[in-house]
Amino acid sequence: MPATTATTPFRQSALRTLNIEQAAIAGLAAKLDAHFDHACELILDCQGRVVVTGMGKSGHIAGKIAATLASTGSPAFFVHPGEASHGDLGMITRSDVVIALSNSGETAEVTALLPLLKRLGTPLISMTGRPTSTLAQHANAHLNSSVDREACPLDLAPTSSTTAALALGDALAVALLEARGFTAEDFALSHPGGSLGRRLLLRVRDLMHEGDRLPQVPLGSPLRDALLEITRQGLGFTCVVAPDGQLAGVYTDGDLRRTLDSVHDLRDVRVDEVMTRPGKRISPDLLAAEAVRIMEDNRITALAVVDEQQRPVGALHMHDLLASGVI
């Protein structure tokens, strides 16, 4: 069983690492300057794609930055600098912006791209730990990601420096997101397979039961008919429809329990005498997440779906929302 009392050497090492990396991120605030603003402007003005590149550990961070930019409204992709020198540079056009990561600013595979980028006239944003480096000096905008030391006790393995670069990349992506007015629904469009996408993209009409699966009985029907309809459709309720086609109310499993408490002989009872008026309802065009809120606020498990004329067109059950991943 893991120790829970004394501080162990493992945890002492972990705490040192976390403290060093926390300080590295905190130190970035003082390094933000007009170059950061210019980098944002270059990307906002970009008519093509943001191409992010880096070698080794910086390459892994570059890939994550590209993914974050792409999912937050700034189309981006990663290009390996070594492959770029052997043909993949054809992926980069004059309309693009390049972000190049190198802690030293002297990584050979990255600096080898400089003459080619200059010839293309492609704007370059560098992210290095050395503002005087070759890469920084040849960039249109330089983002200073320098750190006092690596968390590695040998001060060799990229640890604090990659953490700082990652955080600076997040700061760039969020600044661009806010400048574009990027919304949660925009984010969902980039994540249709995720839970956020399901919550923000699915609408009531996508999940509702309709046609023959819509439980409904006419106003004035015997209660027995309403109970048979509830049983037949298995949604725990039925719509009660007025002669003009509008939803007059609903009759639910909960209403049945209340009816049994107050009425001793159900044979002559009409559904409109014991139904819930007017009944909770929702538009088919609303987000499924809104249906979840209505159900939770009212402690119910099903909703009638009505059109603009308040005519029932569908039925939605909590199980449908669970099965779809909306909740």
Side-chain angles (χ1 to χ4, degrees), residues 8-22 149 151 153 160:
T8 67
F10 295 127
R11 273 177 278 164
Q12 289 176 350
S13 176
L15 287 172
R16 282 195 301 271
T17 299
L18 293 174
N19 287 334
I20 292 171
E21 297 204 352
Q22 183 181 43
R149 56 168 299 187
S160 301

Side-chain angles (χ1 to χ4, degrees), residues 268-306:
D268 297 325
V269 177
R270 300 288 171 177
V271 68
D272 43 305
E273 299 171 19
V274 289
M275 71 182 184
T276 297
R277 296 175 184 265
K280 296 299 178 183
R281 57 192 70 191
I282 193 169
S283 165
D285 296 322
L286 289 181
L287 292 171
E290 178 66 12
V292 174
R293 185 193 65 77
I294 294 174
M295 290 183 188
E296 290 178 341
D297 288 350
N298 293 279
R299 298 183 179 181
I300 57 178
T301 59
L303 279 173
V305 185
V306 297

Side-chain angles (χ1 to χ4, degrees), residues 35 61 117 175:
H35 280 268
I61 300 301
L117 293 176

Side-chain angles (χ1 to χ4, degrees), residues 191-206:
H191 301 75
S195 60
L196 177 64
R198 288 190 290 272
R199 289 200 302 273
L200 293 179
L201 295 179
L202 278 179
R203 299 192 179 272
V204 171
R205 69 169 63 255
D206 299 321

Side-chain angles (χ1 to χ4, degrees), residues 172-319:
L172 183 65
V174 172
L176 293 166
L177 176 155
E178 293 180 348
R180 294 185 192 279
F182 197 74
T183 66
E185 188 162 352
D186 293 327
F187 186 87
L189 290 172
S190 300
H191 301 75
S195 60
L196 177 64
R198 288 190 290 272
R199 289 200 302 273
L200 293 179
L201 295 179
L202 278 179
R203 299 192 179 272
V204 171
R205 69 169 63 255
D206 299 321
L207 302 175
M208 70 183 190
H209 301 267
E210 53 188 327
D212 292 340
R213 290 288 289 124
L214 169 60
Q216 56 183 329
V217 295
L219 188 66
S221 297
L223 181 58
R224 178 186 59 190
D225 291 355
L227 296 178
L228 288 174
E229 182 71 354
I230 292 173
T231 302
R232 185 173 71 88
Q233 300 292 10
L235 297 179
F237 88 111
T238 184
C239 298
V240 182
V241 185
D244 62 1
Q246 291 189 334
L247 180 67
V250 296
Y251 193 74
T252 70
D253 288 341
D255 290 324
L256 174 59
R257 288 190 290 272
R258 286 185 286 274
T259 302
L260 292 173
D261 285 339
S262 59
V263 180
H264 298 295
D265 189 352
L266 303 181
R267 288 175 295 183
D268 297 325
V269 177
R270 300 288 171 177
V271 68
D272 43 305
E273 299 171 19
V274 289
M275 71 182 184
T276 297
R277 296 175 184 265
K280 296 299 178 183
R281 57 192 70 191
I282 193 169
S283 165
D285 296 322
L286 289 181
L287 292 171
E290 178 66 12
V292 174
R293 185 193 65 77
I294 294 174
M295 290 183 188
E296 290 178 341
D297 288 350
N298 293 279
R299 298 183 179 181
I300 57 178
T301 59
L303 279 173
V305 185
V306 297
D307 62 15
E308 293 180 354
Q309 287 73 43
Q310 298 304 301
R311 297 174 302 196
V313 294
L316 186 66
H317 195 276
M318 184 69 77
H319 289 164

Side-chain angles (χ1 to χ4, degrees), residues 86-111:
H86 295 275
D88 282 4
L89 192 67
M91 297 179 180
I92 306 173
T93 71
R94 298 176 187 274
S95 301
D96 298 330
V97 170
V98 172
I99 302 177
L101 278 69
S102 168
N103 187 41
S104 68
E106 304 293 345
T107 304
E109 293 85 350
V110 178
T111 57

